[in-house]
Structure formats: C-alpha cells, structure tokens
C-alpha cells in the first residue's frame, strides 16, 4: 500500500444500515497503524443525527487529527443500475441517465447521480454505463451530520468503492480478477476487481436480514416441536441471547427488524453451544439461503466471463454483516470451487490495529478503503 504524506489520513466515516464506523490511520517509521477507531450503533432514517450526537464529543479529543472527512454511503442508500447506451444515440445519453436515476430513487428533494463507463464490447455499437443514484435528502442529512461534528466532508462515495480500494491494495501485484461479496444487513453487493478497477458491480437479492430470518424461523420451529407443556418448561436454545425467550414467546415467522439486529448478532457465538442435533437443523436453514446466494454469484461470474474472455476469477473476499454467518463461506466455496475467505486487509497489509478492529476486519474493510482515498 503506497501511502504518502501527510502523516495522518482523513477521518473515514462508513455509514451502514446498523452502525457508523470511524477510522483514521497514522504513518511512521514502522509503517501504518490505526490511530483512532470508533463504532456507533445507529439505524433508520434518523441515524445521521444520532451518529453525530454520539461522535461529536469524542472527535474533539486528541486522538483524532484534522478536519477532513471521507464518507462512505452504505449500499442500502445507493441504487446501482446498468444502463446500455447505443453509440449512435450518444447525444441522448444524459437524458437517459437522468430518467433512469429518477425512476431508481423516489425522493421529494430530488436525486443525485454519477456514472462510470463499465463494459464496452469490441465490434458492437453499444456500451454499458454503471449508474449510481442516491436521494438528495440522504446527501443533505449526511452532509449536515458530518458538518455538525466540526468536520469537512471532502468526498462522498458508495461504500463498495471504499471496500474495493482496500482489496486492490492487498492484490496490487496480482493481475488475476478477484471478487468481493459485501453482505450487508439490508443490501448485498457483488463486485469483481480487474486490472486495477471495479469491472463488475451488482446488487444481490439475498441479504443479511434474510439469513438471520432463516435462523430465527428455524429456531422458533424447533421450539414448537419440542417437549409438551406437561413435561415442564422448554429449554431455550439461545438462553439469554439474541433470539429472546423463545420458550415464552410464540412469534409468527416474520422478517427481522433492523432495530432487533444488535441483540441478534450476539446469538451467533451461541451456535457452538447448542446440542448437535439442533445445530445441524439451524445451520441447514442458513445453508439453504446461502445456496441461493451462491447461485446468484455464479450467474454474475458467468456474465463477467462472457464480457472478459480468458479472465478467470482467482477468489472472493467476504465482507459486511453476513460475512461470518455460519454456512455462508462453505456454501459459496462449494458452489464456486474457488477460494472464499473473509476480507482481512489490516492483517494482509501489515497495518497495526487494536483487537476490536482485527476481530472484525470484514466490517472495517470499507472504512479502511475510505481512509486510503486521501492518498490516491
């Protein structure tokens, strides 16, 4: 990773569906290290103001340096659309992009969009543009929140590009294409890096909420099938953990709400303490959903191969909320027959970081890439 002066990176702020992660690096004679890091839980439409309220006091401490902030918007805040453009209709390109952006996002304050050239097939009178659209109100809330913390938002981008930057730094000597799968709570995105840039990016149908929902419904089903009431109270598979008191609550299967997820994350470690019979059933429920995700990824890879003959994918990095959910990595590896591993950019790049960051590198990877933006 070729980072240059100044000694401190900008303050990176990655705003996800469940939390915001702040990160700043510091360079020195022994290389780069994490100078400061912080994570603030925040969900829903008012999360920007809540993040600012939590972070404002800490940002005044001596642990942070400078006022410049690079901000990453979560995948749930940005719509991604592939727009085909015929060369003989190039004069209508801007009009078509604007119409597509307005159709992609409904916002009473309007929309903001940018586009990138994506695919151009030799011999064909057509190319594809990657259109990124977000609501003007989302940008307003984000900008206001950052400025209220006393910071200057110097750049704002989709978090997938921050993640891509960190992964490209890990593989700057490897010419082979490499994939990434960011499994967020509300949105999953699959991308392919090739020749130093993002060459494929697509939102997926399945997300972390769906995977957790499969666990919840299977756990509730197990409880309903357990001992009869006459035999005494039933044993809670996840006593004191995320799924709540399943023995006392008979909830109908339903999607998990974002407001519930902070508790539900705690339950993942309890899978190892469940008796093997129940663990197999619970993991099977997740595997069925993970298999669907793997098939989606396979279709994306086939599309990439059709546009990039001879460019074989070398592996996939997992990041985001669902990256370490049970069975996800195994299902993808089995379906794709390629290395599938959680993203660990801090470890691979030799960046010294506190234990709380190293234990969740797959969640901090987008913030790391955002910090690197100041050194491009």
């Amino acid at each position: 990773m070729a980072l240059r002066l100044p000694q401190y990176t900008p303050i990176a702020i990655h705003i996800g569906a469940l939390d915001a992660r702040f990160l700043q690096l510091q360079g020195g004679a022994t290389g780069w290290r994490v100078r400061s890091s912080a994570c603030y839980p925040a969900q829903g439409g008012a999360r920007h103001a809540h993040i600012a309220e939590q972070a404002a006091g800490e940002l005044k401490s001596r642990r942070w340096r400078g006022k410049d902030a690079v901000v990453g918007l979560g995948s749930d805040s940005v719509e991604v659309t592939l727009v085909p453009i015929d060369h003989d209709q190039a004069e209508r390109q801007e009009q078509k992009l604007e119409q597509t952006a307005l159709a992609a996002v409904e916002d009473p304050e309007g929309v903001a969009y940018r586009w990138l050239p994506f695919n151009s097939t030799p011999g064909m009178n057509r190319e594809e543009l990657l259109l990124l659209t977000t609501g003007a109100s989302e940008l307003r809330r984000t900008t206001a929140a950052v400025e209220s913390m006393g910071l200057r938002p110097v750049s704002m981008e989709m978090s997938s590009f921050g993640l891509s930057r960190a992964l490209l730094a890990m593989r700057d000597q490897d010419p082979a294409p490499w994939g990434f799968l960011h499994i967020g709570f509300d949105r999953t995105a699959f991308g392919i890096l090739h020749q130093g840039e993002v060459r494929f990016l697509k939102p997926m149908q399945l997300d972390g909420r769906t995977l957790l929902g499969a666990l919840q419904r299977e756990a509730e089903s197990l409880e309903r099938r357990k001992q009869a009431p006459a035999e005494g109270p039933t044993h809670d598979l996840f006593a004191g953990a995320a799924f709540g008191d399943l023995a006392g609550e008979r909830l109908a299967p339903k999607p998990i709400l974002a407001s519930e997820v902070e508790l539900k994350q705690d339950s993942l470690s309890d899978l190892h303490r469940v008796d093997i019979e129940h663990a197999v059933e619970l993991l099977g429920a997740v595997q069925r959903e993970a298999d669907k995700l793997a098939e989606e990824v396979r279709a994306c890879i086939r599309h990439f191969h059709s546009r990039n003959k001879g460019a074989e994918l070398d592996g996939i990095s997992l990041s985001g909320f669902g990256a370490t959910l049970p069975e996800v990595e195994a299902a993808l590896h089995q379906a794709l027959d390629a290395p599938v591993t959680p993203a660990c950019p801090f470890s691979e790049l030799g960046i010294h970081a506190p234990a709380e960051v190293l234990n969740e590198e797959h969640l901090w990877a987008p913030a790391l890439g955002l910090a690197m933006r100041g050194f491009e």
Side-chain angles (χ1 to χ4, degrees):
M1 177 176 59
L3 294 179
R4 303 184 298 274
L5 293 176
Q7 188 176 12
Y8 304 102
T9 68
I11 298 173
I13 306 175
H14 172 228
I15 302 176
L18 302 175
D19 56 37
R21 294 175 185 265
F22 289 60
L23 183 74
Q24 185 173 46
L25 303 182
Q26 176 181 348
T30 59
W32 287 86
R33 66 178 179 86
V34 172
R35 176 178 179 82
S36 301
S37 61
C39 180
Y40 303 104
Q43 305 163 26
R47 66 185 186 275
H48 308 82
H50 187 45
I51 292 166
E53 182 181 351
Q54 296 179 81
E58 184 175 341
L59 287 170
K60 294 178 181 178
S61 73
R62 295 183 179 181
R63 297 193 303 120
W64 303 90
R65 288 290 183 270
K67 298 292 185 181
D68 290 347
V70 289
V71 183
L73 302 176
S75 299
D76 60 311
S77 301
V78 182
E79 291 297 327
V80 179
T81 314
L82 201 60
V83 182
I85 298 291
D86 293 333
H87 291 165
D88 56 7
Q89 297 181 342
E91 71 280 357
R92 298 184 56 228
Q93 173 179 306
E94 196 61 36
Q95 179 184 359
K96 185 172 183 178
L97 291 173
E98 182 178 2
Q99 291 174 344
T100 305
L102 290 170
V105 173
E106 294 185 9
D107 191 313
E109 298 181 25
V111 301
Y113 65 91
R114 58 174 293 199
W115 60 269
L116 301 169
F118 214 52
N119 287 313
S120 180
T121 304
M124 295 188 66
N125 187 38
R126 169 175 290 199
E127 65 177 334
E128 293 176 324
L129 306 180
L130 187 70
L131 180 67
L132 309 173
T133 310
T134 190
S137 63
E138 175 74 16
L139 294 181
R140 175 183 54 77
R141 287 191 295 268
T142 302
T143 301
V146 174
E147 291 178 343
S148 72
M149 291 182 270
L151 300 176
R152 292 186 297 264
V154 296
S155 70
M156 201 171 294
E157 65 182 24
M158 183 180 180
S159 58
S160 291
F161 290 96
L163 172 61
S164 300
R165 196 174 292 111
L167 297 179
L168 284 169
M170 291 164 47
R171 305 183 57 79
D172 61 353
Q173 302 299 319
D174 191 341
W178 190 266
F180 64 87
L181 185 65
H182 183 79
I183 308 175
F185 182 67
D186 280 336
R187 184 72 62 86
T188 293
F190 175 71
I192 297 177
L193 310 173
H194 187 37
Q195 298 176 340
E197 59 185 27
V198 179
R199 298 293 293 272
F200 183 93
L201 183 64
K202 184 179 184 300
M204 301 282 99
Q205 295 295 319
L206 188 142
D207 52 34
R209 183 197 300 265
T210 305
L211 292 168
L212 276 183
L215 274 174
Q216 182 190 38
R217 288 189 290 272
E218 186 64 24
E220 292 169 357
S221 176
L222 285 171
E223 281 298 316
R224 288 193 291 268
R225 298 199 304 266
K226 289 186 66 175
Q227 302 172 8
E231 298 178 6
T234 58
H235 170 65
D236 183 3
L237 290 176
F238 296 92
F243 287 101
D245 183 6
L246 295 179
E249 299 179 21
R250 297 305 182 193
L251 301 176
K254 60 181 180 180
I256 300 175
L257 300 176
S259 59
E260 299 172 328
V261 78
E262 184 179 354
L263 290 174
K264 294 189 179 300
Q265 291 184 76
D266 297 337
S267 69
L268 300 179
S269 60
D270 291 321
L271 284 172
H272 301 292
R273 296 195 292 271
V274 180
D275 64 85
I276 189 63
E277 177 184 355
H278 291 145
V280 168
E281 292 182 74
L282 288 167
L283 294 179
V286 180
Q287 184 177 11
R288 289 190 290 273
E289 298 297 335
D291 286 341
K292 298 176 186 177
L293 178 59
E295 187 55 40
E296 270 196 278
V297 172
R298 287 181 63 183
C300 292
I301 294 174
R302 287 195 297 268
H303 178 81
F304 173 78
H305 285 164
S306 70
R307 302 299 179 92
N308 299 269
K309 301 296 185 183
E312 296 297 326
L313 203 66
D314 217 20
I316 295 176
S317 293
L318 299 178
S319 66
F321 172 80
T324 56
L325 285 174
E327 296 302 304
V328 172
E329 182 179 336
L332 288 168
H333 179 74
Q334 182 177 7
L336 304 176
D337 193 27
V340 180
T341 56
C344 297
F346 294 86
S347 298
E348 293 201 28
L349 294 172
I351 299 174
H352 301 286
E356 58 266 25
V357 172
L358 294 177
N359 290 338
E360 295 183 329
E361 290 192 59
H362 60 288
L363 296 175
W364 286 96
L368 175 60
L370 290 170
M372 290 178 180
R373 182 181 174 88
F375 295 88
E376 293 182 334

